[in-house]
Amino acid sequence: MAYDVLRAVSESDAYANLLLPSAIADAGLTPQDAALATELAYGTLRRRGTYDAIIRAAANRPVDEIDPAVLDALRLATHQLLATRVASHAAVNESVNLIASAQGRGAAGFANAVLRRIARGTPGEWQTRIEDAARSDDERLALRTAHPVWVIRALRRALAAEGRADELDALLDADNASPEVTLVALPGLAEPGEPRRPYAPTAYGSPGGDPHRVLTESRGTVRVQDEGSQLVALALAEAAPIRPEERWLDLCAGPGGKTALLAAVAREHGVTVEANEVVPARAGLVRNALRSVPGDVVVHEEDGRVFAAEHPATFDRILVDAPCTGLGALRRRPEARWRKTPADVADLVPLQVELLTAALDALAPGGIVAYVTCSPHLAETTGVVQEVLRARADIAELDARSVVSRVARSPIDLGSDGSGRVQLWPHRHGTDAMFLALLQRTDSDARGDSAAEGDDTRGTA
């Protein structure tokens, strides 16, 4: 099962965190076997870069010259040999048999030779060998922590913006730790259980780690959701007193977890909520997430920029959970670190700027946008906010740090880059690395000089 997940990730850009749970359920695995399958798949994906360096050394050839199906099996076996208690002979034999059935005896013979070389060394010996071949300190750190060099540098810059660059090692370690399951109890529909999480009043831990029974019994009023995701959604609701008959919008709603939380809060205050999601399959997930919340939340299926342009000065609160690299959720999506490149940042930033700008235009006077990313990359966070604000005189930035502190059940250690923006961290808060900025429209017509002169950085709607 772990091998099938690796192949799907490699061949089809599948997401392991979506594919593996359903595969485990369909197979009816025991809890012990489910745990093993999860460790094999996630552990292999998480440390892929390190394992590729070891395989390259053991095979004496670049990994891109190895058949992809064989390479995935070698990665899986290397994880078993160097990071689990699986007996070496069993790891080698099972993996060779996997390759023989999938690729034939010739490929199996090659794999057998490579894996026996790897099995003869200890984890420490292999780590020393590949680090000794590194060309820089960052490359050495990348091999030790299984993060691409560009990701390490982006994370270091984001921490340095808060004056906390010395926390990099702790962050990289946290990215490689399996996260605990966190649940959200939708306000007014369910009560949080124990153990409570320290910050979001709706968040608590999954009893025993397996949430299936709790989720089934709740009929959707309890669901799996990272505490950081809960905090940023609740911050939008808490940013100003809620007036009856407000209109709220989740502009980039898929898969719908934040939408459901906002809809539950809105239900308690007589507020109307709408959602928009451009991808039809994800729009279906949003509708499914909303089934447990009484009331009618309309889910639109349009480009968020177009939808916002069609509704100028309409909404009182808008959540822009923008498409991003997802570098803040590497604990949960271990393959993302190897799937993304710096080119993805360059492609996403213009879209993020356009979505945020369109959302601000869709605000009624006094309305508030929460700009959110699950990435700490400065280009996707502060860079986007600063670019948008440069073109506008009708927007004031609120102190999101004070809002989140007000939402949190206990004191929360929020770093500061001199702005009021919030950056959460896995190593410091036990959450995904969610970013939040709160922007309020102060006037319906005013614009900055550059916008008035036509030098507008908003992009097209």
Side-chain angles (χ1 to χ4, degrees):
M1 183 174 294
Y3 178 70
D4 288 343
V5 169
L6 297 186
R7 295 301 302 132
V9 169
S10 296
E11 286 190 316
S12 309
D13 283 342
Y15 290 94
N17 66 318
L18 300 180
L19 182 61
L20 186 60
S22 60
I24 288 172
D26 290 344
L29 294 188
T30 65
Q32 292 85 354
D33 281 345
L36 178 58
T38 300
E39 169 56 29
L40 293 179
Y42 278 35
T44 302
L45 289 168
R46 188 175 289 120
R47 300 196 63 82
R48 194 188 83 177
T50 300
Y51 294 153
D52 281 0
I54 292 170
I55 292 167
R56 179 173 61 245
N60 197 28
R61 69 172 69 172
V63 292
D64 58 9
E65 294 180 5
I66 300 174
D67 180 90
V70 174
L71 180 58
D72 277 335
L74 291 174
R75 291 164 172 161
L76 181 60
T78 302
H79 180 63
Q80 293 175 75
L81 289 169
L82 301 182
T84 75
R85 292 188 300 241
V86 175
S88 295
H89 69 276
V92 172
N93 290 340
E94 291 293 333
S95 300
V96 169
N97 290 338
L98 249 182
I99 293 170
S101 63
Q103 298 295 313
R105 296 179 63 85
F110 164 75
N112 184 63
V114 171
L115 292 178
R116 291 192 181 281
R117 289 191 199 107
I118 293 174
R120 284 197 289 269
T122 66
E125 289 169 344
W126 278 112
Q127 194 65 45
T128 298
R129 179 173 174 179
I130 61 174
E131 286 188 31
D132 285 348
R135 295 164 295 183
S136 68
D137 289 343
D138 279 353
E139 187 172 307
R140 193 169 297 109
L141 183 60
L143 291 167
R144 186 179 312 136
T145 64
H147 285 71
V149 168
W150 78 272
V151 172
I152 287 175
R153 290 171 177 168
L155 296 177
R156 181 188 289 121
R157 285 193 293 270
L159 286 168
E162 299 181 359
R164 297 189 176 187
D166 58 346
E167 294 181 8
L168 178 62
D169 287 344
L171 172 58
L172 298 175
D173 288 344
D175 272 351
N176 287 332
S178 298
E180 296 179 1
V181 177
T182 300
L183 304 178
V184 58
L186 296 182
L189 300 170
E191 292 296 326
E194 296 293 339
R196 298 290 295 274
R197 292 294 191 228
Y199 306 124
T202 51
Y204 68 107
S206 174
D210 183 4
H212 181 73
R213 180 183 59 81
V214 174
L215 300 183
T216 301
E217 292 176 354
S218 77
R219 298 185 178 182
T221 60
V222 172
R223 54 200 318 112
V224 175
Q225 188 174 42
D226 178 70
E227 187 178 15
S229 294
Q230 297 178 49
L231 274 174
V232 296
L234 293 172
L236 176 59
E238 181 69 21
I242 300 173
R243 296 174 288 105
E245 301 181 0
E246 283 188 0
R247 292 183 66 181
W248 295 2
L249 170 67
D250 189 349
L251 187 62
C252 310
K258 297 182 187 70
T259 318
L261 179 52
L262 286 174
V265 174
R267 173 179 168 270
E268 297 183 302
H269 294 272
V271 169
T272 300
V273 177
E274 296 179 43
N276 180 75
E277 171 53 50
V278 66
V279 180
R282 287 171 64 83
L285 295 176
V286 176
R287 294 187 182 97
N288 186 60
L290 289 165
R291 285 178 184 170
S292 58
V293 183
D296 184 21
V297 177
V298 177
V299 180
H300 307 274
E301 296 182 18
E302 291 191 51
D303 184 311
R305 296 163 292 185
V306 173
F307 180 83
E310 294 171 343
H311 297 81
T314 298
F315 296 98
D316 299 287
R317 305 189 198 219
I318 302 177
L319 175 64
V320 182
D321 187 4
C324 67
T325 56
L327 297 184
L330 298 185
R331 305 176 304 159
R332 302 180 191 281
R333 299 174 191 144
E335 70 277 1
R337 68 187 74 186
W338 312 115
R339 182 174 283 167
K340 301 297 183 181
T341 70
D344 292 303
V345 179
D347 290 341
L348 284 165
V349 165
L351 173 61
Q352 292 159 352
V353 168
E354 291 169 8
L355 284 167
L356 178 54
T357 300
L360 293 173
D361 288 338
L363 280 180
I368 299 170
V369 161
Y371 175 70
V372 171
T373 66
C374 188
S375 169
H377 196 297
L378 291 177
E380 299 186 89
T381 58
T382 294
V384 168
V385 174
Q386 290 176 338
E387 180 173 347
V388 171
L389 289 180
R390 273 197 297 269
R392 317 225 17 161
D394 61 331
I395 303 298
E397 184 166 5
L398 304 181
D399 187 355
R401 296 173 73 247
S402 67
V403 175
V404 169
S405 295
R406 195 162 66 240
V407 170
R409 297 176 56 245
S410 59
I412 182 168
D413 178 12
L414 298 174
S416 176
D417 62 357
S419 73
R421 299 157 204 158
V422 168
Q423 180 65 66
L424 302 174
W425 295 103
H427 68 289
R428 199 184 304 160
H429 306 111
T431 68
D432 291 344
M434 304 294 297
F435 171 84
L436 169 68
L438 294 173
L439 306 176
Q440 185 170 37
R441 188 165 184 176
T442 58
D443 183 270
S444 60
D445 297 316
R447 291 292 187 274
D449 291 341
S450 62
E453 295 169 2
D455 184 21
D456 194 338
T457 61
R458 288 180 292 169
T460 62

mmCIF file with all atom_site columns, all heavy atoms in Angstrom, residues 371-392:
data_model
loop_
_atom_site.group_PDB
_atom_site.id
_atom_site.type_symbol
_atom_site.label_atom_id
_atom_site.label_alt_id
_atom_site.label_comp_id
_atom_site.label_asym_id
_atom_site.label_entity_id
_atom_site.label_seq_id
_atom_site.pdbx_PDB_ins_code
_atom_site.Cartn_x
_atom_site.Cartn_y
_atom_site.Cartn_z
_atom_site.occupancy
_atom_site.B_iso_or_equiv
_atom_site.pdbx_formal_charge
_atom_site.auth_seq_id
_atom_site.auth_comp_id
_atom_site.auth_asym_id
_atom_site.auth_atom_id
_atom_site.pdbx_PDB_model_num
ATOM 1   N N   . TYR A 1 371 ? -6.358 38.185 4.743  1.00 0.00 ? 371 TYR A N   1
ATOM 2   C CA  . TYR A 1 371 ? -5.494 37.561 3.744  1.00 0.00 ? 371 TYR A CA  1
ATOM 3   C C   . TYR A 1 371 ? -4.688 36.478 4.439  1.00 0.00 ? 371 TYR A C   1
ATOM 4   O O   . TYR A 1 371 ? -3.944 36.751 5.395  1.00 0.00 ? 371 TYR A O   1
ATOM 5   C CB  . TYR A 1 371 ? -4.562 38.582 3.090  1.00 0.00 ? 371 TYR A CB  1
ATOM 6   C CG  . TYR A 1 371 ? -3.574 37.950 2.137  1.00 0.00 ? 371 TYR A CG  1
ATOM 7   C CD1 . TYR A 1 371 ? -4.000 37.406 0.932  1.00 0.00 ? 371 TYR A CD1 1
ATOM 8   C CD2 . TYR A 1 371 ? -2.227 37.870 2.448  1.00 0.00 ? 371 TYR A CD2 1
ATOM 9   C CE1 . TYR A 1 371 ? -3.103 36.807 0.060  1.00 0.00 ? 371 TYR A CE1 1
ATOM 10  C CE2 . TYR A 1 371 ? -1.317 37.283 1.588  1.00 0.00 ? 371 TYR A CE2 1
ATOM 11  C CZ  . TYR A 1 371 ? -1.760 36.748 0.386  1.00 0.00 ? 371 TYR A CZ  1
ATOM 12  O OH  . TYR A 1 371 ? -0.869 36.135 -0.471 1.00 0.00 ? 371 TYR A OH  1
ATOM 13  N N   . VAL A 1 372 ? -4.843 35.250 3.968  1.00 0.00 ? 372 VAL A N   1
ATOM 14  C CA  . VAL A 1 372 ? -4.288 34.077 4.646  1.00 0.00 ? 372 VAL A CA  1
ATOM 15  C C   . VAL A 1 372 ? -3.522 33.223 3.645  1.00 0.00 ? 372 VAL A C   1
ATOM 16  O O   . VAL A 1 372 ? -3.972 33.030 2.508  1.00 0.00 ? 372 VAL A O   1
ATOM 17  C CB  . VAL A 1 372 ? -5.427 33.231 5.266  1.00 0.00 ? 372 VAL A CB  1
ATOM 18  C CG1 . VAL A 1 372 ? -4.913 31.893 5.781  1.00 0.00 ? 372 VAL A CG1 1
ATOM 19  C CG2 . VAL A 1 372 ? -6.109 34.006 6.383  1.00 0.00 ? 372 VAL A CG2 1
ATOM 20  N N   . THR A 1 373 ? -2.363 32.729 4.050  1.00 0.00 ? 373 THR A N   1
ATOM 21  C CA  . THR A 1 373 ? -1.677 31.697 3.281  1.00 0.00 ? 373 THR A CA  1
ATOM 22  C C   . THR A 1 373 ? -1.170 30.620 4.238  1.00 0.00 ? 373 THR A C   1
ATOM 23  O O   . THR A 1 373 ? -0.879 30.911 5.401  1.00 0.00 ? 373 THR A O   1
ATOM 24  C CB  . THR A 1 373 ? -0.451 32.234 2.501  1.00 0.00 ? 373 THR A CB  1
ATOM 25  O OG1 . THR A 1 373 ? 0.551  32.662 3.417  1.00 0.00 ? 373 THR A OG1 1
ATOM 26  C CG2 . THR A 1 373 ? -0.833 33.365 1.571  1.00 0.00 ? 373 THR A CG2 1
ATOM 27  N N   . CYS A 1 374 ? -1.078 29.415 3.728  1.00 0.00 ? 374 CYS A N   1
ATOM 28  C CA  . CYS A 1 374 ? -0.425 28.352 4.494  1.00 0.00 ? 374 CYS A CA  1
ATOM 29  C C   . CYS A 1 374 ? 1.022  28.263 4.025  1.00 0.00 ? 374 CYS A C   1
ATOM 30  O O   . CYS A 1 374 ? 1.491  27.218 3.576  1.00 0.00 ? 374 CYS A O   1
ATOM 31  C CB  . CYS A 1 374 ? -1.159 27.024 4.308  1.00 0.00 ? 374 CYS A CB  1
ATOM 32  S SG  . CYS A 1 374 ? -0.527 25.730 5.411  1.00 0.00 ? 374 CYS A SG  1
ATOM 33  N N   . SER A 1 375 ? 1.679  29.383 4.097  1.00 0.00 ? 375 SER A N   1
ATOM 34  C CA  . SER A 1 375 ? 3.084  29.489 3.694  1.00 0.00 ? 375 SER A CA  1
ATOM 35  C C   . SER A 1 375 ? 3.703  30.658 4.425  1.00 0.00 ? 375 SER A C   1
ATOM 36  O O   . SER A 1 375 ? 3.079  31.731 4.518  1.00 0.00 ? 375 SER A O   1
ATOM 37  C CB  . SER A 1 375 ? 3.213  29.727 2.185  1.00 0.00 ? 375 SER A CB  1
ATOM 38  O OG  . SER A 1 375 ? 4.545  30.077 1.845  1.00 0.00 ? 375 SER A OG  1
ATOM 39  N N   . PRO A 1 376 ? 4.918  30.496 4.933  1.00 0.00 ? 376 PRO A N   1
ATOM 40  C CA  . PRO A 1 376 ? 5.620  31.624 5.548  1.00 0.00 ? 376 PRO A CA  1
ATOM 41  C C   . PRO A 1 376 ? 6.552  32.342 4.583  1.00 0.00 ? 376 PRO A C   1
ATOM 42  O O   . PRO A 1 376 ? 7.269  33.258 4.986  1.00 0.00 ? 376 PRO A O   1
ATOM 43  C CB  . PRO A 1 376 ? 6.426  30.940 6.658  1.00 0.00 ? 376 PRO A CB  1
ATOM 44  C CG  . PRO A 1 376 ? 6.771  29.606 6.074  1.00 0.00 ? 376 PRO A CG  1
ATOM 45  C CD  . PRO A 1 376 ? 5.617  29.224 5.163  1.00 0.00 ? 376 PRO A CD  1
ATOM 46  N N   . HIS A 1 377 ? 6.573  31.922 3.307  1.00 0.00 ? 377 HIS A N   1
ATOM 47  C CA  . HIS A 1 377 ? 7.482  32.531 2.335  1.00 0.00 ? 377 HIS A CA  1
ATOM 48  C C   . HIS A 1 377 ? 7.167  34.024 2.227  1.00 0.00 ? 377 HIS A C   1
ATOM 49  O O   . HIS A 1 377 ? 6.030  34.411 1.934  1.00 0.00 ? 377 HIS A O   1
ATOM 50  C CB  . HIS A 1 377 ? 7.326  31.842 0.980  1.00 0.00 ? 377 HIS A CB  1
ATOM 51  C CG  . HIS A 1 377 ? 8.447  32.111 0.021  1.00 0.00 ? 377 HIS A CG  1
ATOM 52  N ND1 . HIS A 1 377 ? 8.733  33.376 -0.453 1.00 0.00 ? 377 HIS A ND1 1
ATOM 53  C CD2 . HIS A 1 377 ? 9.360  31.282 -0.550 1.00 0.00 ? 377 HIS A CD2 1
ATOM 54  C CE1 . HIS A 1 377 ? 9.770  33.312 -1.271 1.00 0.00 ? 377 HIS A CE1 1
ATOM 55  N NE2 . HIS A 1 377 ? 10.168 32.050 -1.343 1.00 0.00 ? 377 HIS A NE2 1
ATOM 56  N N   . LEU A 1 378 ? 8.147  34.879 2.441  1.00 0.00 ? 378 LEU A N   1
ATOM 57  C CA  . LEU A 1 378 ? 7.904  36.319 2.505  1.00 0.00 ? 378 LEU A CA  1
ATOM 58  C C   . LEU A 1 378 ? 7.305  36.879 1.221  1.00 0.00 ? 378 LEU A C   1
ATOM 59  O O   . LEU A 1 378 ? 6.531  37.842 1.257  1.00 0.00 ? 378 LEU A O   1
ATOM 60  C CB  . LEU A 1 378 ? 9.211  37.047 2.835  1.00 0.00 ? 378 LEU A CB  1
ATOM 61  C CG  . LEU A 1 378 ? 9.752  36.834 4.252  1.00 0.00 ? 378 LEU A CG  1
ATOM 62  C CD1 . LEU A 1 378 ? 11.086 37.561 4.423  1.00 0.00 ? 378 LEU A CD1 1
ATOM 63  C CD2 . LEU A 1 378 ? 8.764  37.299 5.304  1.00 0.00 ? 378 LEU A CD2 1
ATOM 64  N N   . ALA A 1 379 ? 7.629  36.297 0.089  1.00 0.00 ? 379 ALA A N   1
ATOM 65  C CA  . ALA A 1 379 ? 7.056  36.786 -1.162 1.00 0.00 ? 379 ALA A CA  1
ATOM 66  C C   . ALA A 1 379 ? 5.557  36.555 -1.215 1.00 0.00 ? 379 ALA A C   1
ATOM 67  O O   . ALA A 1 379 ? 4.817  37.348 -1.809 1.00 0.00 ? 379 ALA A O   1
ATOM 68  C CB  . ALA A 1 379 ? 7.727  36.090 -2.353 1.00 0.00 ? 379 ALA A CB  1
ATOM 69  N N   . GLU A 1 380 ? 5.090  35.466 -0.579 1.00 0.00 ? 380 GLU A N   1
ATOM 70  C CA  . GLU A 1 380 ? 3.660  35.139 -0.600 1.00 0.00 ? 380 GLU A CA  1
ATOM 71  C C   . GLU A 1 380 ? 2.891  35.801 0.529  1.00 0.00 ? 380 GLU A C   1
ATOM 72  O O   . GLU A 1 380 ? 1.656  35.804 0.510  1.00 0.00 ? 380 GLU A O   1
ATOM 73  C CB  . GLU A 1 380 ? 3.480  33.622 -0.486 1.00 0.00 ? 380 GLU A CB  1
ATOM 74  C CG  . GLU A 1 380 ? 4.112  32.817 -1.597 1.00 0.00 ? 380 GLU A CG  1
ATOM 75  C CD  . GLU A 1 380 ? 3.771  31.345 -1.490 1.00 0.00 ? 380 GLU A CD  1
ATOM 76  O OE1 . GLU A 1 380 ? 2.748  30.939 -2.051 1.00 0.00 ? 380 GLU A OE1 1
ATOM 77  O OE2 . GLU A 1 380 ? 4.529  30.599 -0.823 1.00 0.00 ? 380 GLU A OE2 1
ATOM 78  N N   . THR A 1 381 ? 3.586  36.349 1.488  1.00 0.00 ? 381 THR A N   1
ATOM 79  C CA  . THR A 1 381 ? 2.925  36.892 2.673  1.00 0.00 ? 381 THR A CA  1
ATOM 80  C C   . THR A 1 381 ? 3.075  38.405 2.718  1.00 0.00 ? 381 THR A C   1
ATOM 81  O O   . THR A 1 381 ? 2.295  39.138 2.111  1.00 0.00 ? 381 THR A O   1
ATOM 82  C CB  . THR A 1 381 ? 3.502  36.230 3.937  1.00 0.00 ? 381 THR A CB  1
ATOM 83  O OG1 . THR A 1 381 ? 4.928  36.445 4.009  1.00 0.00 ? 381 THR A OG1 1
ATOM 84  C CG2 . THR A 1 381 ? 3.238  34.728 3.934  1.00 0.00 ? 381 THR A CG2 1
ATOM 85  N N   . THR A 1 382 ? 4.087  38.879 3.399  1.00 0.00 ? 382 THR A N   1
ATOM 86  C CA  . THR A 1 382 ? 4.310  40.315 3.531  1.00 0.00 ? 382 THR A CA  1
ATOM 87  C C   . THR A 1 382 ? 4.496  40.989 2.176  1.00 0.00 ? 382 THR A C   1
ATOM 88  O O   . THR A 1 382 ? 4.029  42.112 1.958  1.00 0.00 ? 382 THR A O   1
ATOM 89  C CB  . THR A 1 382 ? 5.541  40.561 4.426  1.00 0.00 ? 382 THR A CB  1
ATOM 90  O OG1 . THR A 1 382 ? 5.236  40.114 5.747  1.00 0.00 ? 382 THR A OG1 1
ATOM 91  C CG2 . THR A 1 382 ? 5.905  42.023 4.474  1.00 0.00 ? 382 THR A CG2 1
ATOM 92  N N   . GLY A 1 383 ? 5.172  40.323 1.262  1.00 0.00 ? 383 GLY A N   1
ATOM 93  C CA  . GLY A 1 383 ? 5.401  40.912 -0.054 1.00 0.00 ? 383 GLY A CA  1
ATOM 94  C C   . GLY A 1 383 ? 4.110  41.210 -0.787 1.00 0.00 ? 383 GLY A C   1
ATOM 95  O O   . GLY A 1 383 ? 3.963  42.273 -1.404 1.00 0.00 ? 383 GLY A O   1
ATOM 96  N N   . VAL A 1 384 ? 3.160  40.280 -0.731 1.00 0.00 ? 384 VAL A N   1
ATOM 97  C CA  . VAL A 1 384 ? 1.868  40.490 -1.390 1.00 0.00 ? 384 VAL A CA  1
ATOM 98  C C   . VAL A 1 384 ? 1.117  41.638 -0.735 1.00 0.00 ? 384 VAL A C   1
ATOM 99  O O   . VAL A 1 384 ? 0.583  42.525 -1.410 1.00 0.00 ? 384 VAL A O   1
ATOM 100 C CB  . VAL A 1 384 ? 1.028  39.194 -1.351 1.00 0.00 ? 384 VAL A CB  1
ATOM 101 C CG1 . VAL A 1 384 ? -0.423 39.468 -1.750 1.00 0.00 ? 384 VAL A CG1 1
ATOM 102 C CG2 . VAL A 1 384 ? 1.637  38.143 -2.266 1.00 0.00 ? 384 VAL A CG2 1
ATOM 103 N N   . VAL A 1 385 ? 1.061  41.642 0.588  1.00 0.00 ? 385 VAL A N   1
ATOM 104 C CA  . VAL A 1 385 ? 0.328  42.699 1.305  1.00 0.00 ? 385 VAL A CA  1
ATOM 105 C C   . VAL A 1 385 ? 0.931  44.063 0.996  1.00 0.00 ? 385 VAL A C   1
ATOM 106 O O   . VAL A 1 385 ? 0.209  45.036 0.711  1.00 0.00 ? 385 VAL A O   1
ATOM 107 C CB  . VAL A 1 385 ? 0.336  42.416 2.822  1.00 0.00 ? 385 VAL A CB  1
ATOM 108 C CG1 . VAL A 1 385 ? -0.284 43.591 3.586  1.00 0.00 ? 385 VAL A CG1 1
ATOM 109 C CG2 . VAL A 1 385 ? -0.405 41.124 3.135  1.00 0.00 ? 385 VAL A CG2 1
ATOM 110 N N   . GLN A 1 386 ? 2.241  44.167 1.026  1.00 0.00 ? 386 GLN A N   1
ATOM 111 C CA  . GLN A 1 386 ? 2.887  45.461 0.780  1.00 0.00 ? 386 GLN A CA  1
ATOM 112 C C   . GLN A 1 386 ? 2.653  45.941 -0.647 1.00 0.00 ? 386 GLN A C   1
ATOM 113 O O   . GLN A 1 386 ? 2.420  47.131 -0.887 1.00 0.00 ? 386 GLN A O   1
ATOM 114 C CB  . GLN A 1 386 ? 4.381  45.365 1.076  1.00 0.00 ? 386 GLN A CB  1
ATOM 115 C CG  . GLN A 1 386 ? 4.687  45.221 2.562  1.00 0.00 ? 386 GLN A CG  1
ATOM 116 C CD  . GLN A 1 386 ? 6.160  45.041 2.847  1.00 0.00 ? 386 GLN A CD  1
ATOM 117 O OE1 . GLN A 1 386 ? 6.925  44.629 1.981  1.00 0.00 ? 386 GLN A OE1 1
ATOM 118 N NE2 . GLN A 1 386 ? 6.562  45.325 4.074  1.00 0.00 ? 386 GLN A NE2 1
ATOM 119 N N   . GLU A 1 387 ? 2.700  45.020 -1.611 1.00 0.00 ? 387 GLU A N   1
ATOM 120 C CA  . GLU A 1 387 ? 2.472  45.418 -2.999 1.00 0.00 ? 387 GLU A CA  1
ATOM 121 C C   . GLU A 1 387 ? 1.058  45.956 -3.190 1.00 0.00 ? 387 GLU A C   1
ATOM 122 O O   . GLU A 1 387 ? 0.844  46.964 -3.869 1.00 0.00 ? 387 GLU A O   1
ATOM 123 C CB  . GLU A 1 387 ? 2.711  44.243 -3.942 1.00 0.00 ? 387 GLU A CB  1
ATOM 124 C CG  . GLU A 1 387 ? 2.488  44.619 -5.402 1.00 0.00 ? 387 GLU A CG  1
ATOM 125 C CD  . GLU A 1 387 ? 2.872  43.528 -6.377 1.00 0.00 ? 387 GLU A CD  1
ATOM 126 O OE1 . GLU A 1 387 ? 3.545  42.568 -5.961 1.00 0.00 ? 387 GLU A OE1 1
ATOM 127 O OE2 . GLU A 1 387 ? 2.496  43.640 -7.552 1.00 0.00 ? 387 GLU A OE2 1
ATOM 128 N N   . VAL A 1 388 ? 0.084  45.291 -2.587 1.00 0.00 ? 388 VAL A N   1
ATOM 129 C CA  . VAL A 1 388 ? -1.306 45.741 -2.720 1.00 0.00 ? 388 VAL A CA  1
ATOM 130 C C   . VAL A 1 388 ? -1.516 47.074 -2.016 1.00 0.00 ? 388 VAL A C   1
ATOM 131 O O   . VAL A 1 388 ? -2.158 47.988 -2.560 1.00 0.00 ? 388 VAL A O   1
ATOM 132 C CB  . VAL A 1 388 ? -2.265 44.670 -2.180 1.00 0.00 ? 388 VAL A CB  1
ATOM 133 C CG1 . VAL A 1 388 ? -3.687 45.202 -2.099 1.00 0.00 ? 388 VAL A CG1 1
ATOM 134 C CG2 . VAL A 1 388 ? -2.221 43.419 -3.056 1.00 0.00 ? 388 VAL A CG2 1
ATOM 135 N N   . LEU A 1 389 ? -0.973 47.226 -0.818 1.00 0.00 ? 389 LEU A N   1
ATOM 136 C CA  . LEU A 1 389 ? -1.193 48.456 -0.054 1.00 0.00 ? 389 LEU A CA  1
ATOM 137 C C   . LEU A 1 389 ? -0.546 49.668 -0.710 1.00 0.00 ? 389 LEU A C   1
ATOM 138 O O   . LEU A 1 389 ? -1.031 50.796 -0.553 1.00 0.00 ? 389 LEU A O   1
ATOM 139 C CB  . LEU A 1 389 ? -0.664 48.294 1.373  1.00 0.00 ? 389 LEU A CB  1
ATOM 140 C CG  . LEU A 1 389 ? -1.461 47.351 2.287  1.00 0.00 ? 389 LEU A CG  1
ATOM 141 C CD1 . LEU A 1 389 ? -0.825 47.296 3.670  1.00 0.00 ? 389 LEU A CD1 1
ATOM 142 C CD2 . LEU A 1 389 ? -2.911 47.795 2.380  1.00 0.00 ? 389 LEU A CD2 1
ATOM 143 N N   . ARG A 1 390 ? 0.538  49.456 -1.444 1.00 0.00 ? 390 ARG A N   1
ATOM 144 C CA  . ARG A 1 390 ? 1.202  50.590 -2.105 1.00 0.00 ? 390 ARG A CA  1
ATOM 145 C C   . ARG A 1 390 ? 0.270  51.293 -3.092 1.00 0.00 ? 390 ARG A C   1
ATOM 146 O O   . ARG A 1 390 ? 0.429  52.492 -3.343 1.00 0.00 ? 390 ARG A O   1
ATOM 147 C CB  . ARG A 1 390 ? 2.460  50.109 -2.845 1.00 0.00 ? 390 ARG A CB  1
ATOM 148 C CG  . ARG A 1 390 ? 3.709  50.060 -1.985 1.00 0.00 ? 390 ARG A CG  1
ATOM 149 C CD  . ARG A 1 390 ? 4.967  49.993 -2.840 1.00 0.00 ? 390 ARG A CD  1
ATOM 150 N NE  . ARG A 1 390 ? 5.013  48.790 -3.646 1.00 0.00 ? 390 ARG A NE  1
ATOM 151 C CZ  . ARG A 1 390 ? 5.585  47.651 -3.261 1.00 0.00 ? 390 ARG A CZ  1
ATOM 152 N NH1 . ARG A 1 390 ? 6.139  47.564 -2.061 1.00 0.00 ? 390 ARG A NH1 1
ATOM 153 N NH2 . ARG A 1 390 ? 5.605  46.608 -4.056 1.00 0.00 ? 390 ARG A NH2 1
ATOM 154 N N   . ALA A 1 391 ? -0.680 50.553 -3.649 1.00 0.00 ? 391 ALA A N   1
ATOM 155 C CA  . ALA A 1 391 ? -1.555 51.115 -4.678 1.00 0.00 ? 391 ALA A CA  1
ATOM 156 C C   . ALA A 1 391 ? -2.850 51.663 -4.122 1.00 0.00 ? 391 ALA A C   1
ATOM 157 O O   . ALA A 1 391 ? -3.710 52.086 -4.885 1.00 0.00 ? 391 ALA A O   1
ATOM 158 C CB  . ALA A 1 391 ? -1.848 50.042 -5.735 1.00 0.00 ? 391 ALA A CB  1
ATOM 159 N N   . ARG A 1 392 ? -3.019 51.660 -2.783 1.00 0.00 ? 392 ARG A N   1
ATOM 160 C CA  . ARG A 1 392 ? -4.325 52.016 -2.234 1.00 0.00 ? 392 ARG A CA  1
ATOM 161 C C   . ARG A 1 392 ? -4.197 52.960 -1.052 1.00 0.00 ? 392 ARG A C   1
ATOM 162 O O   . ARG A 1 392 ? -3.363 52.780 -0.169 1.00 0.00 ? 392 ARG A O   1
ATOM 163 C CB  . ARG A 1 392 ? -5.060 50.752 -1.768 1.00 0.00 ? 392 ARG A CB  1
ATOM 164 C CG  . ARG A 1 392 ? -4.956 49.603 -2.718 1.00 0.00 ? 392 ARG A CG  1
ATOM 165 C CD  . ARG A 1 392 ? -6.090 48.835 -3.036 1.00 0.00 ? 392 ARG A CD  1
ATOM 166 N NE  . ARG A 1 392 ? -7.413 49.249 -2.790 1.00 0.00 ? 392 ARG A NE  1
ATOM 167 C CZ  . ARG A 1 392 ? -8.429 48.686 -3.421 1.00 0.00 ? 392 ARG A CZ  1
ATOM 168 N NH1 . ARG A 1 392 ? -8.213 47.761 -4.317 1.00 0.00 ? 392 ARG A NH1 1
ATOM 169 N NH2 . ARG A 1 392 ? -9.655 49.070 -3.164 1.00 0.00 ? 392 ARG A NH2 1
#
